[in-house]
Amino acid sequence: MTEQTGKNIVSVADLRSMINEHPSTHLLDVLPPDHFEKVHIPGAKNACVFFVSFLDDLARLIPEKKERVVVYGSSERSYDAKMAIEKMTRAGYLEVYELEGGLESWREAGNVCEGNNVDQSDDPQTQLTLSDGSFIIANDFSVIKWEGRNPSTTHFGTVDISEGEIHIKNGTISGKIEVDMNSIHNINLEGDELQPVLEAHLRSDDFFFTSMFPTAVLSLIKVTPIEPLWQTAPNFHVKGELTLRGITASLNFDMTANQTENNSLTLEAHFDIDRTQWNIIYGSTRFFEHLGMHKVFDLISIQIRINATR
């Protein structure tokens, strides 16, 4: 056994010896229950470290904190076992070890596993793979959130996507999203008599001039992968165009794409736009003097969440 960064690390060979010499040793699998059911080390107990109830679940499995516990997760690359040991140490467990290399090293050493699908290759589910196809945006499950600010307050709300399509071919993404600018809605003033006043002002020619320009269009022109394609991190860089108030200007932002098991597609991005690029200059000190209480910051924060089905 070797000591590493304050935690006891045991090899696969160490673990086999430990179990033989100390049969009372607890073996703890900290991966999700559905993974545990598919494959686990014989004799292991399961308490998922990703559950907020992890320590409560663990207390039911191993109530005596003085007993020896060997913890394992997925692989050397995954921090699951390390995170579990940190939690356990803070909770007062006194003799905790980590299996070096986790379940992956156990399997690679040719040891027997238990479960209902032990022969299936283990996908770590960390990197994105996109399948080709065209996807229609599900308007009811997609949303654009906006946030605007002035020196004294922040206003935020939503605007609806009216329609759109996303296309995937050879791992690249393209598409077009149409936005109903008349649907602009304020949230933070709900119940206040000023809410409809603000919404009308946003639809007026001072801002989005929706009577003349009822639709905005976001086009994804060039979408470049950000390698490696981590599923939870921004995995594409977008060069796009936004047509708003009759003016088309370029946009650059990072986006996180994912495909779910039922082959639906999600896209999520958040970025700022400088509204003055689209001739929305009301309240900007770059264009007006003596504004007083009518100052409005130039940047608008946008968050887009798109769900699309094949």
Side-chain angles (χ1 to χ4, degrees):
M1 303 177 199
T2 58
E3 186 80 10
Q4 180 177 324
T5 62
K7 303 178 182 66
N8 289 327
I9 307 296
V10 299
S11 67
V12 170
D14 289 335
L15 175 60
R16 294 176 66 87
S17 299
M18 185 182 289
I19 292 173
N20 289 333
E21 295 171 8
H22 304 279
S24 62
T25 298
H26 297 280
L27 186 57
L28 183 68
D29 181 310
V30 295
L31 295 169
D34 58 342
H35 187 278
F36 180 81
E37 290 174 5
K38 291 178 183 177
V39 56
H40 58 267
I41 298 174
K45 302 173 182 178
N46 179 231
C48 177
V49 71
F50 307 124
F51 286 178
V52 295
S53 60
F54 170 66
L55 288 176
D56 292 332
D57 298 337
L58 182 62
R60 287 190 287 271
L61 293 173
I62 310 173
E64 180 50 66
K65 295 182 178 181
K66 294 180 180 180
E67 295 182 358
R68 177 177 297 182
V69 184
V70 178
V71 176
Y72 75 85
S74 174
S75 71
E76 186 67 28
R77 299 174 301 278
S78 186
Y79 283 68
D80 34 33
K82 293 178 176 58
M83 186 166 68
I85 290 171
E86 288 177 358
K87 290 176 180 287
M88 293 170 69
T89 301
R90 287 194 294 268
Y93 286 84
L94 300 178
E95 193 175 358
V96 183
Y97 300 86
E98 177 186 351
L99 174 61
E100 185 175 22
L103 179 61
E104 183 178 81
S105 66
W106 176 268
R107 299 182 77 175
E108 288 179 348
N111 293 300
V112 173
C113 290
E114 293 180 343
N116 58 29
N117 206 348
V118 296
D119 296 325
Q120 184 182 24
S121 60
D122 196 17
D123 177 7
Q125 301 175 10
T126 59
Q127 296 185 31
L128 175 66
T129 300
L130 292 177
S131 59
D132 288 356
S134 294
F135 299 80
I136 303 297
I137 293 177
N139 300 346
D140 292 343
F141 300 98
S142 302
V143 66
I144 297 178
K145 297 180 180 179
W146 58 266
E147 185 171 312
R149 294 162 288 270
N150 61 41
S152 60
T153 192
T154 298
H155 294 301
F156 57 88
T158 62
V159 62
D160 295 340
I161 295 172
S162 53
E163 60 180 355
E165 286 190 3
I166 305 296
H167 307 282
I168 300 174
K169 185 174 183 180
N170 299 326
T172 63
I173 301 173
S174 61
K176 184 177 291 187
I177 303 158
E178 294 191 8
V179 181
D180 176 10
M181 294 307 299
N182 277 307
S183 70
I184 194 161
H185 172 63
N186 167 263
I187 292 176
N188 65 285
L189 291 177
E190 281 185 347
D192 192 299
E193 61 183 9
L194 292 178
Q195 183 194 35
V197 176
L198 174 60
E199 291 178 346
H201 195 196
L202 293 174
R203 288 190 291 267
S204 76
D205 57 0
D206 281 336
F207 285 95
F208 299 109
F209 205 176
T210 62
S211 62
M212 181 69 71
F213 306 105
T215 300
V217 178
L218 174 60
S219 300
L220 309 182
I221 305 299
K222 184 178 181 181
V223 182
T224 306
I226 301 173
E227 301 287 355
L229 296 177
W230 299 119
Q231 290 190 16
T232 57
N235 43 35
F236 288 92
H237 180 72
V238 178
K239 291 186 176 180
E241 291 180 346
L242 176 61
T243 300
L244 179 64
R245 199 175 154 129
I247 297 171
T248 299
S250 61
L251 280 180
N252 291 277
F253 57 89
D254 290 340
M255 172 179 75
T256 304
N258 266 279
Q259 263 183 301
T260 61
E261 292 181 359
N262 63 4
N263 240 353
S264 64
L265 178 70
T266 63
L267 306 176
E268 195 278 339
H270 44 92
F271 50 88
D272 289 344
I273 63 171
D274 180 351
R275 61 188 174 89
T276 65
Q277 287 185 279
W278 291 270
N279 200 30
I280 305 169
I281 62 173
Y282 178 91
S284 172
T285 57
R286 287 192 282 169
F287 296 89
F288 299 100
E289 300 174 349
H290 304 295
L291 281 167
M293 63 177 290
H294 303 287
K295 295 184 186 74
V296 179
F297 293 166
D298 294 347
L299 296 184
I300 300 174
S301 297
I302 303 294
Q303 181 176 343
I304 301 177
R305 174 79 179 187
I306 290 174
N307 287 274
T309 55
R310 187 181 293 276

